[in-house]
Amino acid sequence: MITKGIWANVDDYRLLEELLKLDAACIDDVDWDNLLDNRDEEACRKRWNQMVLHIGSPKSKTFAEQVEILSQRYCPDLAEDREDFDNRPYDPED
């Protein structure tokens, strides 16, 4: 599948998971070439651009908002985990 450029659902999940982990504010902050094993920069960016098209008016959203919207749509468990992490009590020793 990889050599033919075909993306499975699990590849979409991995892409979104890595983008969530990066917590990048801007698309230019992403090292697309090293984002996923076995996928080069061109493949990752192309797939990202395809996914973003499914957001209504994607240009009106920031990159971080796009990642959040797509994470909630494609893999809500990741979004829930991220929300739990963001809402955890502050511990200065963490």
Side-chain angles (χ1 to χ4, degrees):
M1 287 177 62
I2 291 172
T3 57
K4 293 181 181 181
I6 298 171
W7 284 72
N9 286 341
V10 70
D11 295 318
D12 289 340
Y13 300 148
R14 288 183 181 139
L15 177 65
L16 289 167
E17 181 178 30
E18 291 304 314
L19 290 171
L20 274 172
K21 283 182 193 176
L22 286 177
D23 199 24
C26 175
I27 197 167
D28 295 329
D29 295 339
V30 178
D31 180 6
W32 293 96
D33 205 32
N34 294 310
L35 195 61
L36 295 177
D37 293 337
N38 302 317
R39 299 286 185 175
D40 64 11
E41 176 179 3
E42 182 181 348
C44 289
R45 285 187 77 114
K46 182 178 178 183
R47 183 60 182 154
W48 171 254
N49 290 333
Q50 291 171 342
M51 293 171 76
V52 169
L53 289 176
H54 297 284
I55 299 174
S57 304
K59 292 187 180 194
S60 68
K61 311 271 189 272
T62 67
F63 177 72
E65 290 171 330
Q66 292 172 348
V67 172
E68 193 68 31
I69 290 167
L70 289 170
S71 296
Q72 289 172 359
R73 184 175 299 163
Y74 284 94
C75 37
D77 292 341
L78 284 177
E80 288 173 17
D81 291 344
R82 174 58 186 246
E83 186 175 346
D84 289 344
F85 178 80
D86 288 344
N87 292 327
R88 74 188 188 288
Y90 173 71
D91 184 354
E93 294 186 20
D94 263 346

